[in-house]
Amino acid sequence: MQVNVTQLMQGELGQWLAEQSPMRDEALQKARSRWLWGGAFAALVIAYVWFASDWGAIFGSFVSSALVIGVGIIGYLPIAEATKAIKIGINSAIARRLGVIYEHDVTPGEELVTAGKYGLLPGHDRQTLEDCWSGNLEGHRFRLYEVHLERREGTGKNQRWVTVFRGALIEMDFGRPFRSTTLLQRAGKHRKWLGLGGAKDDVSFSGHRLALVDQVHPAFEDVFQLYSDDQVEARVLVHPTYIEHLIAVERAFEGEAVRALFQGGKVIVAVESGDLFESGALNETGDRERVEEAAQQFTALAKLALAINQTERGRIIGQTGPGIAREPGGRSALGGRFGRRGL
């Protein structure tokens, strides 16, 4: 599974992007027009509120802020629509080349509820889901999408939305049968009272008790903790060589928090990251770079899924699974945040 960005840009995607230039120009013109006329209208209203009415400073400040924000949002709408269209076109072309499906909108399944239930995702007050990739990797069905979770903090005028998770959620059929529920969580996530005495001996999720699994890997306790309702099967699923692969994944993702749940013949993976797959923009001069970044982000996450979803012991990360096409001279055809380190 490879993406050659040069071929992609010289073929259907490059031609399609070239055809979008009028749409991009029109979106920018609409935005500028709305900002110009909206700004003029807002200025007249603000001047009246402050200098020709007796509504007071508090009301004047409220009206002024509302108008400025409103004009900004209304003016930006054509840009947002054009950017979304470009993004869908680019990501869909990458997906077709990889033999998978891309959809901008996401209908969450049971994996989102399960990830929250077992602590892969934090509690939150609102969620945004987008950029769904689905299909098969090495014969295993998968589904991957971006999750942005926010929590409301503060009271009264000091209320604000705080991001508690941004990253990818991956669900994938596992390569070998198993019956247990096994949770691979961050070290320190489940600690004894006041953090004294290390990890908890067991944890419970809606009455489902999972016990701590002792491991022999020297670096394991510094990165991950393993809980399961079947100690023997958990050691088969997450063996020492496998842990080395996960630690390598940690380094590739710059130490960001990968965690996983094995249940019902599937594995669910959550990995924190920046904003993913944002390949759309009005500036066409950066199209190639954005295509490279989106392709590399998906490739890296697909390799992560394959690394966690091993069917044989000792597989080396990146040895199988989605590949990175090479340009003449050996340079990777994919750049971006994940590409600089790679898996």
Side-chain angles (χ1 to χ4, degrees):
M1 184 181 288
Q2 295 183 337
V3 176
N4 187 308
V5 175
T6 297
Q7 291 180 358
L8 202 58
M9 293 299 292
Q10 290 177 347
E12 57 168 330
L13 179 58
Q15 180 179 350
W16 182 83
L17 288 171
E19 294 171 352
Q20 306 312 304
S21 291
M23 183 266 288
R24 285 168 153 164
D25 293 339
E26 182 181 357
L28 188 57
Q29 291 174 3
K30 283 184 178 179
R32 288 172 174 170
S33 177
R34 291 184 182 187
W35 283 327
L36 175 62
W37 294 106
F41 173 76
L44 290 174
V45 175
I46 291 172
Y48 172 78
V49 170
W50 282 99
F51 302 110
S53 72
D54 56 356
W55 290 343
I58 295 178
F59 184 78
S61 298
F62 173 79
V63 171
S64 300
S65 299
L67 284 170
V68 170
I69 294 173
V71 169
I73 292 174
I74 292 173
Y76 185 73
L77 286 177
I79 294 177
E81 292 172 358
T83 299
K84 179 179 177 180
I86 297 296
K87 168 184 170 178
I88 292 174
I90 289 175
N91 292 348
S92 296
I94 293 171
R96 286 193 297 272
R97 183 58 61 93
L98 292 173
V100 299
I101 298 171
Y102 170 81
E103 298 171 292
H104 179 270
D105 298 326
V106 179
T107 300
E110 191 64 28
E111 74 283 341
L112 187 65
V113 176
T114 302
K117 174 182 175 180
Y118 287 91
L120 297 184
L121 299 176
H124 56 279
D125 297 310
R126 72 178 180 186
Q127 64 186 31
T128 303
L129 311 175
E130 62 180 6
D131 299 328
C132 181
W133 306 72
S134 61
N136 287 277
L137 295 175
E138 293 194 7
H140 303 295
R141 184 196 63 82
F142 84 99
R143 191 164 183 255
L144 180 162
Y145 52 89
E146 185 178 2
V147 178
H148 181 202
L149 305 179
E150 297 173 283
R151 182 181 299 142
R152 188 192 298 273
E153 295 187 356
T155 58
K157 295 181 179 180
N158 295 322
Q159 283 190 359
R160 63 192 185 281
W161 289 101
V162 177
T163 295
V164 294
F165 179 89
R166 183 189 287 277
L169 187 68
I170 307 167
E171 181 191 44
M172 193 172 187
D173 289 339
F174 202 65
R176 59 171 63 159
F178 65 91
R179 295 171 296 179
S180 63
T181 294
T182 297
L183 175 65
L184 184 71
Q185 189 54 273
R186 311 303 306 165
K189 173 69 174 181
H190 301 292
R191 301 185 65 84
K192 292 182 179 178
W193 187 68
L194 296 180
L196 302 175
K200 288 183 177 180
D201 295 328
D202 59 76
V203 291
S204 181
F205 303 96
S206 300
H208 188 180
R209 178 181 174 276
L210 305 179
L212 181 66
V213 179
D214 293 330
Q215 291 291 322
V216 296
H217 192 282
F220 181 77
E221 293 182 355
D222 295 333
V223 184
F224 300 108
Q225 289 170 349
L226 191 65
Y227 290 89
S228 181
D229 55 12
D230 187 326
Q231 298 274 315
V232 174
E233 191 167 64
R235 292 188 180 93
V236 173
L237 293 174
V238 189
H239 50 80
T241 303
Y242 183 45
I243 297 168
E244 291 177 356
H245 292 172
L246 294 178
I247 292 174
V249 167
E250 284 291 304
R251 298 193 187 103
F253 279 86
E254 301 180 0
E256 302 201 19
V258 177
R259 53 264 200 185
L261 176 74
F262 304 81
Q263 187 181 63
K266 301 177 182 179
V267 57
I268 300 174
V269 184
V271 54
E272 295 187 42
S273 65
D275 203 2
L276 299 170
F277 313 123
E278 294 303 316
S279 53
L282 289 189
N283 180 11
E284 60 187 48
T285 60
D287 280 347
R288 180 189 173 90
E289 181 180 350
R290 287 185 289 271
V291 172
E292 290 178 344
E293 183 173 25
Q296 180 62 20
Q297 287 174 346
F298 175 77
T299 301
L301 290 169
K303 286 185 177 181
L304 167 62
L306 289 171
I308 286 183
N309 190 26
Q310 292 182 29
T311 59
E312 56 185 289
R313 301 165 77 110
R315 173 185 289 174
I316 299 173
I317 294 176
Q319 187 177 25
T320 60
I324 301 174
R326 298 280 169 176
E327 302 282 358
R331 184 178 67 87
S332 168
L334 300 178
R337 176 171 174 266
F338 296 119
R340 285 191 291 273
R341 289 195 158 204
L343 292 178

